[in-house]
Amino acid sequence: MSDPGDKQIEDLRRRIDAIDGKLVALLNKRVNRVLQISRLKRAGNLPIYQPRREREILRRAELANRGPLPNPAIRRLFKLILEEGRLLERRRRRGTSPALKSRKRS
C-alpha cells in the first residue's frame, strides 16, 4: 500500500521537472545573448571579463530576490552562470568550443 503523500510528492516532482526544463531553456537563451555580445566585444577588441558589469548583474539579482533563497545563494548561482558564460566565450575565441552532444531520452 502506498502512502497518500506519495502522489503529492510525485506531482510536486513533476512540477519541479517542468521548472527545470524552463530554467535550462532560459539559461541557453541567456548564453545565446552572451555569445552575441562576445562577438561584438571581440570586434571592438574588448575584454571578456568586465568586473563592473558583473557587479551590476549580481546587485540586480539580489534586488530581484524575494526568497526563500538567501542573497548569498543567489549570488553564488549567478557567479556560476557568469563564469560558465565567460568560459564559453573564451572557448569560442580560441575555436575550442565543444559541440553539443546528442541528448538521450528515456
Side-chain angles (χ1 to χ4, degrees):
M1 188 181 302
S2 67
D3 184 330
D6 289 350
K7 186 171 175 4
Q8 270 187 299
I9 289 170
E10 286 178 30
D11 182 52
L12 290 168
R13 286 181 175 161
R14 275 193 295 276
R15 291 179 188 191
I16 288 170
D17 292 345
I19 293 167
D20 290 346
K22 291 175 185 177
L23 283 171
V24 169
L26 286 170
L27 288 169
N28 282 309
K29 188 174 183 176
R30 186 186 195 288
V31 168
N32 281 325
R33 299 300 172 262
V34 166
L35 294 175
Q36 289 175 325
I37 291 169
S38 179
R39 285 189 289 275
L40 295 170
K41 285 196 280 189
R42 186 173 188 175
N45 202 30
L46 298 171
I48 290 172
Y49 180 60
Q50 297 186 335
R52 188 167 71 197
R53 172 67 178 150
E54 289 201 9
R55 284 192 302 272
E56 179 184 317
I57 291 168
L58 295 171
R59 184 183 63 78
R60 273 198 339 270
E62 288 180 344
L63 288 173
N65 183 29
R66 298 294 177 250
L69 279 174
N71 276 345
I74 294 294
R75 189 173 195 82
R76 284 190 304 275
L77 289 167
F78 268 83
K79 281 184 173 186
L80 185 57
I81 291 167
L82 294 168
E83 181 181 324
E84 290 298 324
R86 283 192 310 272
L87 179 62
L88 188 55
E89 279 188 80
R90 286 187 197 102
R91 286 180 175 165
R92 289 280 174 110
R93 282 193 185 189
R94 288 191 309 251
T96 59
S97 181
L100 291 176
K101 295 180 181 177
S102 63
R103 293 181 284 165
K104 290 184 180 178
R105 299 212 182 236
S106 48

